[in-house]
Amino acid sequence: MPRVLAFLAIATILAGCRTARPAGEETPVAPLTSASPADAARQLTVRRAQLTGERSLLRIRATNGDRSQSFRAQLQIDNSNRMLLTAYTPLGTTAIRLYADASEVTFINDLEGTWWHGTTADFANSFGFFGTTSPYSMALLIVGLPAEGSITYDYAATGLSRANVGDVAVTYDPPSYPPQHVTIARGSQKLEIETLESAMTTARVAKPEAANGYRCCVAPRL
């Protein structure tokens, strides 16, 4: 009996570690076929225009001054300007959820039982790490696609090599699509992102809801 209970406990933990995938058909993200930076820019612009949705499994290391934390996350985007970033605990349970569309942002902290809701402008004022760009535009940059806004780009033949959003620098090492390693830096704050899995999807991004009893309105922070 102890062995059976131990097996069930391990199975429960492993089941919790599986990242929940959204419903919808998925196909692997194909690399570019470009032979020059200009051709890569053209191909990425076309892919952005034809995007239905994309899902990426990520490993993220967040640094703020001398403090850092690493976690796994899933990023979902669709062609209706909606994105959802879900960060997970080491056991696979949900830690935080960041949702955004063209006009609003919802941040749910499942670890602390809090949530926050506001406009994209409110989010930029509260969580200034992304500068003035929207969470959806930053999500596009994380998956290696050009976004709208006052952003300057550097391309290699294999994909984006750098994007500058005001004082926020997004670098790709090596330049590739889909990206392998992305670093987002602003002052002493930094996100180092490794793409573990990436797929095109027909799934729509659904707005998450905070559980009953969660405390409002606690602003997000890095």
Side-chain angles (χ1 to χ4, degrees), residues 6 8 13 15 34 43 47 64 87-88 98 105-107 115 129 134 138-140 147 149 156 180 190 192 202:
L8 291 175
I13 292 174
S34 49
Q43 289 192 25
R47 295 202 185 195
N64 187 0
Y88 299 99
L98 172 64
V105 178
T106 298
F107 180 86
W115 67 282
F129 175 65
S134 69
M138 188 57 69
L140 287 173
Q180 298 176 31
K190 182 168 61 175
E192 298 168 271
T202 59

Side-chain angles (χ1 to χ4, degrees), residues 88-146:
Y88 299 99
T89 69
L91 290 180
T93 57
T94 301
I96 63 169
R97 289 170 285 168
L98 172 64
Y99 167 87
D101 60 22
S103 60
E104 65 174 344
V105 178
T106 298
F107 180 86
I108 302 173
N109 187 329
D110 293 295
L111 286 177
E112 299 179 359
T114 62
W115 67 282
W116 176 91
H117 177 82
T119 66
T120 52
D122 293 334
F123 180 78
N125 290 331
S126 173
F127 187 79
F129 175 65
F130 289 162
T132 58
T133 192
S134 69
Y136 183 77
S137 293
M138 188 57 69
L140 287 173
L141 294 177
I142 290 173
V143 301
L145 292 171

Side-chain angles (χ1 to χ4, degrees), residues 28-129:
V29 176
L32 302 181
T33 59
S34 49
S36 69
D39 194 19
R42 182 190 62 79
Q43 289 192 25
L44 288 174
T45 299
V46 170
R47 295 202 185 195
R48 168 66 184 91
Q50 296 176 345
L51 177 72
T52 56
E54 188 168 339
R55 180 189 64 81
S56 294
L57 184 61
L58 312 170
R59 181 181 289 114
I60 301 176
R61 179 180 176 85
T63 301
N64 187 0
D66 57 356
R67 296 182 294 109
S68 64
Q69 185 174 13
S70 298
F71 54 91
R72 291 166 68 96
Q74 180 172 253
L75 176 63
Q76 301 167 243
I77 59 175
D78 65 23
N79 60 358
S80 295
N81 292 340
R82 293 185 293 244
M83 62 80 67
L84 174 63
L85 178 70
T86 306
Y88 299 99
T89 69
L91 290 180
T93 57
T94 301
I96 63 169
R97 289 170 285 168
L98 172 64
Y99 167 87
D101 60 22
S103 60
E104 65 174 344
V105 178
T106 298
F107 180 86
I108 302 173
N109 187 329
D110 293 295
L111 286 177
E112 299 179 359
T114 62
W115 67 282
W116 176 91
H117 177 82
T119 66
T120 52
D122 293 334
F123 180 78
N125 290 331
S126 173
F127 187 79
F129 175 65

